[in-house]
Amino acid sequence: MGGLDVLTEKKGRSVNAFALNANSISLLGQPGITTSPMIISDSGITPFNQAPSSADMDSRIASLNGETKAESGMFADLYSEKLMKSLWNNKLLLDTISGTPTTVAFPTSSLGRQLSVVAKMIDSRAVRSCDADVFFVQIHGCK
């Protein structure tokens, strides 16, 4: 059992895992115990559907993937649930950290940009109703 699993299952904490610019196996926990890690760009959160084909696209997506019926099927339910949760998380993170300034001047390097996003995410824990976050950042060495 990994650290995320222990914090979630044994300590009852609400823990999120984030990877900057890449996925990391180090953030994976046991299925059903911890949530899947979210991958965030070091340039921040990208809004979903930046050029919708109709003005009411978000409400159409919500209507199509909202409450399901018994005949919807297990896979349709799972797909709709994951899609709506992903869209909700995207909007929450976008609204929470997009305009959040940091009090520290981070370098303009890749690592500096990653750490700036990490600082904003840490600052937004209360809004996200989260007890703890785990972050994966990386720098690339010489080739």
Side-chain angles (χ1 to χ4, degrees):
M1 184 175 282
L4 293 174
D5 298 329
V6 170
L7 286 171
T8 302
E9 187 168 81
K10 299 199 184 262
K11 301 290 184 182
R13 298 273 177 107
S14 173
V15 182
N16 289 316
F18 299 96
L20 280 287
N21 298 335
N23 199 356
S24 172
I25 195 167
S26 64
L27 296 177
L28 296 176
Q30 292 182 359
I33 296 178
T34 55
T35 59
S36 297
M38 290 181 245
I39 302 171
I40 301 176
S41 168
D42 65 6
S43 58
I45 307 299
T46 303
F48 172 74
N49 201 11
Q50 296 179 48
S53 57
S54 69
D56 64 342
M57 184 63 73
D58 289 346
S59 61
R60 285 185 183 190
I61 292 171
S63 173
L64 287 170
N65 292 283
E67 191 172 326
T68 57
K69 298 175 177 46
E71 62 271 9
S72 297
M74 178 177 68
F75 294 114
D77 286 345
L78 181 63
Y79 172 83
S80 292
E81 176 188 335
K82 296 293 184 184
L83 174 65
M84 295 311 295
K85 184 174 183 178
S86 177
L87 293 176
W88 182 83
N89 280 333
N90 178 267
K91 181 163 178 27
L92 175 67
L93 293 177
L94 183 65
D95 292 347
T96 303
I97 72 165
S98 288
T100 305
T102 58
T103 57
V104 175
F106 288 95
T108 58
S109 65
S110 175
L111 181 61
R113 289 188 307 272
Q114 291 177 69
L115 293 176
S116 176
V117 171
V118 168
K120 291 176 183 182
M121 293 299 294
I122 291 170
D123 191 44
S124 72
R125 277 189 317 161
V127 174
R128 295 182 290 112
S129 302
C130 181
D131 297 323
D133 291 319
V134 176
F135 298 96
F136 175 82
V137 297
Q138 64 182 341
I139 56 173
H140 299 283
C142 298
K143 292 184 180 186

